[in-house]
Amino acid sequence: NAGVMQNPRHLVRRRGQEARLRCSPMKGHSHVYWYRQLPEEGLKFMVYLQKENIIDESGMPKERFSAEFPKEGPSILRIQQVVRGDSAAYFCASSPWGDSGNTIYFGEGSWLTVV
Amino acid sequence: GENVEQHPSTLSVQEGDSAVIKCTYSDSASNYFPWYKQELGKGPQLIIDIRSNVGEKKDQRIAVTLNKTAKHFSLHITETQPEDSAVYFCAAGGFQKLVFGTGTRLLVSP
C-alpha cells in the first residue's frame, strides 16, 4: 500500500460537523476507490471514481456523503452533519487505468471519531 | 450482487504449523480474487492474488487455490511465524469493484 496517501490519519468531529477526508492515489493511477471499515468488521465498498467522474456510488449512503476526484488534486470524501454511527476507518485505494480484474492498493486509512 | 463468505473468523496456530483460510463467492462473473493482510491500525496490504484463468498460485510460504466450479478459493500459509499474526481478508470481483469477506484473525503463537 505504499504510495496511496491519505490525510488526515485521525480526525475527531463533534456531531453535526463536517468531515473531509483526502486521498492522493499512487503515481500513474487514475482510479480511486473508497471503502469504510467499522470496528471489527470487513471493508465495505462506498464509491469508485475516475478523474472528474463518479463511476459507481452504489455503496454510498444516500444522504450526507459525497465524493469527488477533480482533474487536479486529491480525491475528497465529504461527510456532512456527522453522527456517531459515522465513526469508522475510511480507506482509499487506487489502481492503474484499464487493468481488468483490478489490482488495487490501499492507503493507511483515515480514522474518524465522532463525539 | 456479489456476496463473499469467509471462514474461520479466528484461527490460532503454533509457530511452524500451516494455516488455511477459506472463502466462497456467489457471482460466477467474478474473475479476480485477491487476499489482503491487515495489521492493527494499518491499511490492508495485498499479499497474493489469483485470476480466474489460473487454479493455483504460490509465492514463497503463501499459496492460493481457486475452484471456479464450486465458487471457492483458499489461502494457505505454511511454516507460520509470529509476524504472520494479523487479520486476513479475501475479496472477489472483476473490473471496477471488489467485495470483501468479513476477515480472519490469525494468531501465531511462538
Side-chain angles (χ1 to χ4, degrees):
Chain A
N1 55 2
V4 179
M5 304 301 294
Q6 289 188 248
N7 68 83
R9 291 295 316 281
H10 299 276
L11 182 63
V12 179
R13 285 287 179 265
R14 296 185 183 279
R15 281 178 294 172
Q17 290 184 320
E18 178 180 288
R20 284 193 178 219
L21 310 177
R22 289 176 291 278
C23 169
S24 296
M26 287 179 71
K27 187 176 181 180
H29 287 192
S30 58
H31 297 203
V32 165
Y33 310 78
W34 285 93
Y35 282 79
R36 177 163 65 175
Q37 186 176 38
L38 294 171
E40 303 298 318
E41 292 191 11
L43 295 141
K44 301 295 185 186
F45 170 80
M46 299 182 74
V47 62
Y48 162 48
L49 312 103
Q50 295 178 21
K51 287 282 188 181
E52 300 185 281
N53 283 305
I54 296 174
I55 307 303
D56 182 348
E57 57 181 349
S58 58
M60 288 280 272
K62 298 297 182 198
E63 298 177 348
R64 302 187 298 109
F65 285 71
S66 62
E68 63 176 8
F69 189 17
K71 185 176 181 181
E72 300 291 337
S75 175
I76 305 286
L77 179 67
R78 182 184 179 200
I79 311 171
Q80 295 178 289
Q81 300 172 359
V82 296
V83 300
R84 288 218 171 110
D86 296 333
S87 295
Y90 293 84
F91 289 98
C92 172
S94 72
S95 68
W97 180 83
D99 184 16
S100 180
N102 270 334
T103 299
I104 70 171
Y105 301 91
F106 283 87
E108 293 287 77
S110 292
W111 268 258
L112 172 65
T113 302
V114 179
V115 297
Chain B
E2 177 63 275
N3 181 52
V4 177
E5 295 189 357
Q6 183 172 347
H7 301 280
S9 57
T10 59
L11 180 59
S12 294
V13 300
Q14 292 291 320
E15 182 177 1
D17 288 350
S18 294
V20 180
I21 303 170
K22 299 181 179 181
C23 288
T24 60
Y25 63 99
S26 61
D27 189 349
S28 57
S30 289
N31 59 10
Y32 178 58
F33 307 92
W35 287 87
Y36 289 84
K37 175 184 180 182
Q38 187 177 28
E39 296 176 333
L40 191 63
K42 295 189 175 182
Q45 181 180 12
L46 178 69
I47 55 172
I48 195 168
D49 57 10
I50 191 167
R51 301 182 193 273
S52 60
N53 58 345
V54 176
E56 183 174 357
K57 183 176 179 181
K58 189 173 182 180
D59 183 4
Q60 299 183 335
R61 297 187 296 109
I62 295 174
V64 58
T65 58
L66 171 65
N67 183 328
K68 285 218 72 179
T69 303
K71 296 198 190 73
H72 66 71
F73 55 113
S74 301
L75 177 71
H76 304 253
I77 306 174
T78 58
E79 300 173 22
T80 53
Q81 301 167 3
E83 50 265 39
D84 294 330
S85 296
V87 179
Y88 291 81
F89 291 97
C90 64
F95 190 59
Q96 296 187 351
K97 187 165 74 177
L98 289 174
V99 176
F100 283 79
T102 50
T104 296
R105 186 176 300 278
L106 174 64
L107 176 62
V108 181
S109 302

